Amino acid sequence: MARVWQHPFLNVFRQFKVDEWKRSTKEGDVATVMDKTLKCTVYRIRGTVSASNYIQLPKTSSQSLGLTGRYLYLLFRPLSTKHFVIHLDLSTEESQVIRVSLSNLFKEFKSTATWLQFPFICEGTTRKDLAGVPPPAARWTCLQLDLHAILLVYLNRRYNHLKGVRLCASLLVRSLYTSDLCFDPAVTAAEARRAKLPVTPMPREMAFPVPKGENWHDHYIHIRFPSDSPAAPSKLVQRNCSPPEADFPRHVPQLLARPVPFRKSRQDSVSPVAQVRGPAASLLPDPVLRLKRVIGFGGHSTKWALWTKDGTAVVYPCHAVIVVLCVDTREQRFFLGHTDKISALALDGSNSLLASAQARPHSMLRLWDFQTRSCLSLFRSPVHTVCSLSFSDSGTLLCCIGKDRHGKMMVVAWGTDQVGQGGEAVILAKANTDVDIQAFEIALFNETRMASCGRGNVRLWRLRGGGLCSCPVDLGEHHALEFTDLAFGKAQDGRMLYVCSRSGHILEIDHQRMAVRCARYLLPVETPSSPLPQKQAFSPGPGIAISSLSISQAECAVGSEDGCLRLWPLDFSLVLLEAEHEGPISSVRLSPDGLRVLSTTSSGHLGFLDIPSREYNVLVRSHTAPVLALAAECSRGQLATVSQDHTVRVWDLATLQQLYDFTSPEEAPCAVAFHPTQPVVFCGFGSGAVRSFGLEATRVLEEHRCHQGAIASLVISPDGSLLFSACSQGTLAQYHCAATSCRVLRVAANVVCRDALPRPNALAVSADNHLLAFMGPFKYTVTIMDAASLDDLLRIDVSALDLASSGLDSAEAVCFSPAPRSHLLVSLSSNKLVVLDATSGRMVREFCDMHPVACSALALSGDARLLLTAADRAIKVWDYLTQSSPSCQVYIGHSEPVQAVAFTPDQRHLLSVGDAIFLWDVLAPPERSPLESVQSSPGLPPTSEAVSGRTAVEDPNARQQEDVLSGTNGLPRCQVPVPSQAAPPQLSICAGPLEGGDGTSSASDEGPSEESHSPEGLCRAPGPPLLVQKEACGAGDRATGGPWDLSVLPHPHGQPSKQGSWSIRGARTQPTARPDAYRHFTARYKASLMAQTVSSPPAGAEWLHLKAVVGYNGNGRANVIWRPDTGFFAYTCGCLVVVEDLHSGSQQHWLGHSEEISTLALSHNAQVLASASGSGAAASGCQIRIWDVPGGSCQQLLSHHRTAVQALAFSRDDRLLVTLGDYGDRTLALWSMATYELVSSTHLPEPVHDMAFSPWGAGELACAGQGALTVWLLQQRGPGISLQAHREPIPESVGAGELTSLCYGAEPLLYCGSNAGQVCVWDTSASRCFLAWEADDGEIGVLLCSGSRLVSGSNTRRLRLWAVGAVPELRRRGSGARSSSVFLERELTLDGAIVSAVFHDSMDMGVVGTTAGTLWYVSWAEGTSTRLISGHRSKVNEVAFSPCESHCATCGDDGSVRVWSLSSMELVIQFQVLNQSCLCLAWSPPSCGRPEQQHVAAGYSDGTLRVFHISRISMELKMHPHRAALTAIAFSADGQTIISGDKDGLVAVSQPCTGLTVRTLSDHQGAPISTIQSTSKENGAFGVEGTDLWLAASGDQRVSIWASNWLRDCCELVDWLSFPAPILREASDCSPPSLAAFCPWDRTLLACAGLGPHPQVVFYSLCQKQVVKKIPLPFFAVSLSLSPRAHSMAIGFAERVLRLVDCVSGAAQDFAGHDDWVQLCRFAPSASLLFTAAHNEILVWEVTGC
C-alpha cells in the first residue's frame, strides 16, 4: 500500500512544495519565470558555477524522497551556450546509494561502484565535440530515465527508490515526475483511443502544449534512456528527427540475460529516443557467446520440477534461470530474465503459459509464452514473499501464495486470459489468512475450487463474486498433524483429495462433504523386533516424514525425508516400486501418462523413475552451495569444481554429467587444479591442506600440510611438472608432480598477499612453464618469479601506474597471455586492467572502467582474441586485439557473484561458475594472433598455425623460406601443431644435427621418452641393397647381400596329415637380447609347469561348464579382433580365445593352447582365425592354432617357432599366412592356408617388431625393425615362393633407432611408427621416406590407417587421431612437403600403454586394448572411451560372495577390491589402495544387519584392515591390527567381529563397530596364517561355551579350532591338529599352503589339504578326534573349496589343473584352461557357480553335475 499514492504518476515539485522551500532547498541564482513556449511558470537555474546554483530535493542529504517509480520524467530546457548538471541519488535493494549524473560537461561515460556519469549530447553539436554547450535555439526536452534498467545494466544492481535529486545550472525546469508507467509524450489520449495504439499517452498535466495541426516532434525533444534496443547506450543524444510510425516502446522491457554490447549506433536511425554511441570498432559476432548448458538445480528451493504435458521434458529452476530439459536427448532450453533466485514455478495444462516468481526483489512475477520462451508480462504481486504458484488447467487462473510484509499468509488470484493477447494479468481476488499454508492447488474439475494444507489445517477454497473464501476440513484426531503436500484425484468423479503429513499419514478427503473419508498411516520405521522394514498401510509407532505426493489414475507416488520414493496403488495395499535416493526427497511428480515419476532431493538431485522398466535415471546433479573454483582438463575432457557444500566434483565436459564426487565433511575445499596428463585432481582446503585425488582409484592419493591458512589459490604448470599453492597467511608452496607422487620442493613464507578469500586468479604460470606470477608480498605489488627456482625476477608496484590517480591501486587478479606473448594481465581495484610486459615490467596497454566493481576473475583465449572478465554477477567479453577503445559485450544470468571463468581447452566453450556452472558456446571463429602474423625478427623461422577443421592455411612466402632452410633433405618437419590452450608452437627445421646430440632417443616400456632431439638433415640414400631369395635347391645355395644372411628351409616333400601338427625347426642362432621396445611381446614369467596328462571328462558328462572369463590379457600384442560388419568380437585371456557377443554379453571359449596367447589374426573373409602362444618351460615349441570361426573348432595345429610368435598376418587373398617369431626366434615363416604346409622359412639377422601385407596385392610384405624398413616381394615359382627383400634404412634426420609399428595408407603410402615417438611416411613406389613428424613422446606401438585418418597408440597411454588427408599431395611436392598439413584431430588418454587396436573403416569407432588389462570402446565422434572388458592387473588373491549371491568381490596384488555383478559379470564398484597389495577378503554374513548394509573387509600388505560399505561405496573403517601383511580374514557368524591373521602367524580379533582390536592370539606365531574360517555352532557343543566355531591354519601344517562368544569376551581352544611336513619333489621350491575348511554338510568335519607327507585330502572329525576319510590327489593342492549343497569339492593345483571331486564316491574330473597355477577356487553360496583364478584371470564355471 506504500506505493498506491504514487500511482499512476507523481508530480515531485508539487508533492514536496518546491515553491515554499520547506522540504527542498535552493542555492544561488534560482528564480521563477514565465515561459512563452509552455505558457506557464518554470524555474530558472543559472550561474557560472554549476555546483553553486541548484535546486535540491529533499532539503538535506540525510533525508530521502522515497519515490519508488521506475521511470523519472524531467521536463527541462538547457540554457543556450551554457553547461548544466543533473544529479540523481538512487538507493538499491542492498541499501547502497548510487549517484547518477548527466551533464553536457562530461566528455565520456565513466563508472565506479557508486557513481555513473553519462555525457549529454545536445542537439546540433558537431561530431568533433560531442559533449558541449547547447545551441542558441535549444528546445524543451522530456527526459525519460528508466532507473531500474540503468542500475541493472551498468552496475548489475536492483533499484529500490529515488533518494534525492539535484538540478544544477544552467537550465529551465518545469517539473519532475515519477511513475511505473512508460508514457509516450507525442501521443494524446484521444489519438491513442482513435488509432487503438498499444501505448500509454502522456497525462495532460505532464504534456507539452502543441499547436493544432502541428507535430509534437517539431517543437520538442523526447529522450528515453536507456533505449529499447538491446544495446545499452553510454551517452544521451538529442536528435531533431521525426519518429517512425511503429516505433513504440515494448510493453515488457526486454532486460534479459543476453549480451549488451557497447557498439556504434546506426547513422540513419530516425528514432527520437536516446541513441547509442560507442567505439568505432565492435566485437563480432554479436553476440559472441551463447548459453549452451547449465549444471545446477534449485537455488531458492529444490521442490519445483514440472513435467510438460507430453512427458518428454522437465521444467525446473536453476537459481535465476528456468531450464527445460529433454529427458531423452538431454538438450536444454532456457528462460532468461530473472535477476534473482526463482522461488516458484507453475505450468498450465496446455503448456501455453509458464509462471515464475523470484525471491528478490520481492513479489516480482513473470508470465512466459512457453513455446517461444518470451516474457509476456512482468508485474508485482501484493504477496511480499512468493512461496507457491498454481495454474488452472486452462491457464486462465493463476494463484499466488506467500506472506505479506507483516508475515501473514496471503492468497492472490490473477486472471491471465488476456496475457497472451497483449493484455495484463488482473487481480480477481485476494485474501489474508492466519493459518499456515505449505501447499496449494487448483482443482482440475472446477477452476473456481482450490485446496490448501499446512500445519494443523486443510482448507478448501472457492473463488466467487470477486472474493476468495475458505472453509476448514474437520480433521478430528488428526488436527495436530503437519501437512506437507496435497493432490486431487485423477478419477472421473474427481471428488477425492489426498493430503500427506510429516508424521507419515495420508488422508483421503471428500472435498464436497469436507470430511475425512479415510486415514492411512504409511511407512512406519523398522522396529528392533522386525527383521525387515514394514511396508504395510497401517502400523503403530512413529512414521517417516512424507514431503510430497502425486496422484495418477491408478497409482500414488510418495516421497519421504528418508530418501525413499515409493509407488503405491490407490488402495495403499502394498508397495509396487521403491527407489532410494541419496538425500531427503523434496517433491515427486507423476508424468501425465503415469509411466514416470519425477523426483527432486534436497541434495540437489533431479531424476525420474521409469515404471515399466523399473530403472531410475538421474537427470541433474548439482552443488548445493556456491561454486568457488573450477579447473578444466583437455585429454579426457573433464571439469573439476569445488564448492562451499564441502564437495569436489568432476564432470564430463561433453555431457556435463557428474563422474566423481569427493566429500570432505569437516573442511571445505577452496581451490582446485587438474593435472594436464594424469587423472589426478589437486584440491586446496580451508584447513591449509592440499590433497591429490586419483580419479582411477577414486580416493585421496597424497596430502600435504605446509600451509597454516586457508588455500587461496592453486595452479599447475601447463606441462604438469610443477604445482603451486598459496594460502591466506601469505605462504607459497612449490611441489614436484611425478607420475605416481607429488612431493613438496619449496615453501616460502610471507611472499604472497594475505587474503582470507579464495582467489582463483591469485597465481598464474606462463604458457612456457618458466614464469610464476602472483600478488604479493603486499596488495600493491605483483611479483614474477622463476617457476623452477622461485627466484625473484620482477616486482612491479601497481599502485603507482596511474600517476593522476589520488588513490592507491591494489592488484585483484593476474593472468598470463598465451605463448608466444610475454604479457601479464593484472586487474586493479580501480576497475582497470593493465597489460604488463613480463620481461621488463613495462605497461603495454590499459583497459579503463571495465566493471563497476573490481574484476576478480579473468581469462584470455588461446588465440589472444577474446578477453574475459567477471565482476559481481556480470561477465564481459572484450576484443583484446583492438588496441584503442576495445569493444565489449556484457552477459548476465548468474544470481550470485561469478567466482571463476575459464575457456575450455579446445577454446570452443566458456565456463563460468558462481551459483551454478554455466557452459557458453564461443561463436567467434579462431583467428591468428598478432604476434604470429607479424615476425619482428627476420632470422626467426616461420610460424605455422593449426586452424579448426582439417585444413591449413599456408603462406607461400613462408613455404619458400622453409625450402631455403631445409634444403633438399625431403623431411621438412618433425613436430605437428597440436590444438591446445596455448598458441600453436613455432615449428622449425634444423639443417644439421644438434650440437652434442647423437640423433637418437630411447623409450622405456611404459613411460615416455626422456629425451627429444631435432632431426638431422636427410639425404637420399644411394639405393637399398637388393636381397634375392633363391629357391632351396641344395644345402649350399644361400642368398647373400648386405648385412642380412637369409636361409630358407623348404617343407619336405609329402602330404602332411590333416590331424597332425607340423614342427619344422629353423637354423640355430645365437640368443639375442630383448629389444628396447614395448611393442615386442614378452611372455609373463611362470614358475608352474603344465601337467603332462590331463584326463578330460567324456563329452556331455562334464560336471563343469566354463561360463565366463573375466579379464583381458594386456600382455599380448594385437590380440583383439573386431569386425563391425559381422559383429565378430574376440580377444585373449591367458591361454583362452574368448569370443563374446557384444549385445548379450555371452561368451564362447576356444580351448587348446597350454601357454599364454601372444597374438591373433583374422582372415579377410572372416572365416579363419589364427592364434599363437609361447613355448613354455615344458613345451617343445610354439603353438599356432587355426580356428574355424563359424564352427568355433580348431582345424589345424602348426608349430615352427621356438620361443614365441610376435605377429600373424594373412595375405590379401587369404591364401598365405605369415608368422613372425620374436627376438629369441627371429624367423619369418610362410604357410599355405590350402594345405597348412610351410612354404618358406627365413631366418632374420635382427628382431622385427611388426609386419603387414600390402592391401594392393598379395605379393608385398613390409616389416618394421631395427634401423630399417624391409619390404619383401613374394613371387610364385613353381610349387615354391621366392622372396626378394628391399631394405630401406631409416634416414638419420628422423632420429629414430627402431621402427616399431606400421600400416598401409592410401596407395602407395606406408606409415611407420618409431620408438622415439615419430611417424614416418614412406613412398613404396619410390622407396623413400618423404615426411615425418613427432606424433608422441614415447614409443608408438600401434598404427592404423583408413582413408584420410590415422590412429596412433603409444606407451604414454595416449591414443591419437590424425588427419592425414593432405599426405598424398605432400608426396608429390617432394622437398616442399610440410608436416604442418597433418593435424591432430582427437586425443584420449587411457589406463595403460596401447597394445592392440581395431577400428571401423570410417575410423569413428574402435576397440583398444591396454597393458592394464582393459578393453576400451573408443568413439572419436563423441570423444569418449567406454570400458568394455576389465580385470585385475596382477594376481587375484581372493573372491567373496554377497549372501544373496547378487554380487561378488575380488581382491588382488594391484591393491584393488572390485565388486562384480554376478548376473552380467560387469564391474560395479572398485576400491583402490595405492602401493599396497590386497591379500585377503571377506563379505559380511547375512545375519549382519539389513541387506543394504553389507560390508566387505579387506586385508592389505601393510598390516591394515579396511572395511568398505557396499551400498554407500565408501570406506567406513581403517584399522591397523597387524605389523605384518594380512594373509587371511573372516567375519564371525553374527558379523560383529572380524578375525584376521598375518604373515607372522598372529591372529587378531577386532570389532568394526568400535574400531578396536580386542584380542590377539600368538599360538601360530612363526608361520604365516593361510586360512581362517568361521561358522556357527550350538552353545555347549564339543563341551565348550560359545556360539561361534572358527579355525586357523598356518604354513607349518598346524590347524587350531576355537569356540568363542565375542560379546562375552570368551574364546576357548577346541582342538589342535599337527601334521608332518609334505614330501616335495625336487622340482618344487616351496611348500604347498595349509588348507582347511568346515564341511558344509557336516560342520563337525574338517577337510584338510596340504597337510601331511602325501598329496591328499583328509577329513577329520571333531567329535571322534580322528581322521575318518582320505582322498588321494595327483598333486599337492594349492586351493580348496567345498560345495555348500552337494558333497563335492573343488581343488586347484600348481600344475594348472582344476579337479572336481565327489566326496562320497571319490570320483573326480579334471579341467584345463588355466595358463598358471590355480591359486584360488571358490563355490558360490548356491553352489551353482564355481570361481577359479590363475594369476589375474578369473574363470567362472557353471556346476552342472556331481
Side-chain angles (χ1 to χ4, degrees), residues 3 124 250 272 311 526 657 1009 1356 1488 1531:
R3 298 183 53 189
R250 284 168 286 183
E526 173 190 356
Q657 295 298 310
S1009 174
T1356 63
C1488 180
F1531 276 94

Side-chain angles (χ1 to χ4, degrees), residues 1432 1434 1452-1457 1471-1478 1500:
H1432 286 274
S1434 53
D1453 284 348
D1454 56 4
S1456 67
V1457 174
F1471 302 98
Q1472 183 71 48
V1473 177
L1474 298 180
N1475 304 321
Q1476 298 297 330
S1477 297
C1478 188
Y1500 291 84

Side-chain angles (χ1 to χ4, degrees), residues 485-538:
D485 199 8
L486 56 83
F488 282 97
K490 299 297 190 295
Q492 293 181 358
D493 56 2
R495 297 173 56 186
M496 198 60 59
L497 174 67
Y498 296 83
V499 186
C500 63
S501 72
R502 197 171 298 278
S503 60
H505 289 81
I506 291 184
L507 307 184
E508 297 181 20
I509 298 175
D510 189 331
H511 64 83
Q512 290 184 352
R513 299 178 179 178
M514 292 188 296
V516 177
R517 177 180 175 183
C518 180
R520 289 185 171 88
Y521 189 43
L522 306 180
L523 315 176
V525 179
E526 173 190 356
T527 60
S529 60
S530 60
L532 293 176
Q534 303 293 319
K535 294 182 181 178
Q536 289 80 14
F538 182 82

Side-chain angles (χ1 to χ4, degrees), residues 361-577:
H362 299 301
S363 315
M364 187 63 69
L365 273 73
R366 285 179 181 265
L367 292 178
W368 310 81
D369 186 318
F370 187 74
Q371 305 302 325
T372 64
R373 290 176 288 157
S374 61
C375 183
L376 301 176
S377 181
L378 171 65
F379 55 94
R380 288 183 182 271
S381 169
V383 177
H384 184 258
T385 304
V386 179
C387 62
S388 180
L389 293 173
S390 180
F391 245 129
S392 63
D393 189 63
S394 64
T396 60
L397 178 65
L398 173 67
C399 286
C400 172
I401 302 89
K403 293 184 178 181
D404 60 12
R405 294 183 181 273
H406 303 287
K408 295 184 64 176
M409 294 302 302
M410 175 181 283
V411 180
V412 181
W414 302 79
T416 57
D417 51 341
Q418 299 300 319
V419 172
Q421 288 76 35
E424 290 280 359
V426 179
I427 295 181
L428 302 179
K430 58 184 177 180
N432 284 91
T433 178
D434 293 329
V435 300
D436 175 61
I437 297 179
Q438 295 292 332
F440 190 97
E441 185 172 339
I442 301 176
L444 293 175
F445 58 87
N446 188 342
E447 295 184 354
T448 64
R449 301 296 182 105
M450 306 95 175
S452 69
C453 66
R455 186 180 296 106
N457 75 95
V458 176
R459 301 183 76 88
L460 301 178
W461 297 75
R462 186 174 183 180
L463 178 64
R464 182 173 59 180
L468 272 172
C469 56
S470 65
C471 295
V473 176
D474 184 7
L475 301 176
E477 60 178 331
H478 307 291
H479 68 278
L481 299 182
E482 182 180 353
F483 297 100
T484 55
D485 199 8
L486 56 83
F488 282 97
K490 299 297 190 295
Q492 293 181 358
D493 56 2
R495 297 173 56 186
M496 198 60 59
L497 174 67
Y498 296 83
V499 186
C500 63
S501 72
R502 197 171 298 278
S503 60
H505 289 81
I506 291 184
L507 307 184
E508 297 181 20
I509 298 175
D510 189 331
H511 64 83
Q512 290 184 352
R513 299 178 179 178
M514 292 188 296
V516 177
R517 177 180 175 183
C518 180
R520 289 185 171 88
Y521 189 43
L522 306 180
L523 315 176
V525 179
E526 173 190 356
T527 60
S529 60
S530 60
L532 293 176
Q534 303 293 319
K535 294 182 181 178
Q536 289 80 14
F538 182 82
S539 180
I544 299 175
I546 303 176
S547 56
S548 180
L549 85 166
S550 181
I551 303 292
S552 69
Q553 293 284 354
E555 293 107 359
C556 174
V558 175
S560 54
E561 293 186 1
D562 65 347
C564 287
L565 164 65
R566 296 178 175 92
L567 190 67
W568 303 75
L570 291 182
D571 59 358
F572 296 92
S573 58
L574 75 164
V575 176
L576 301 178
L577 285 177

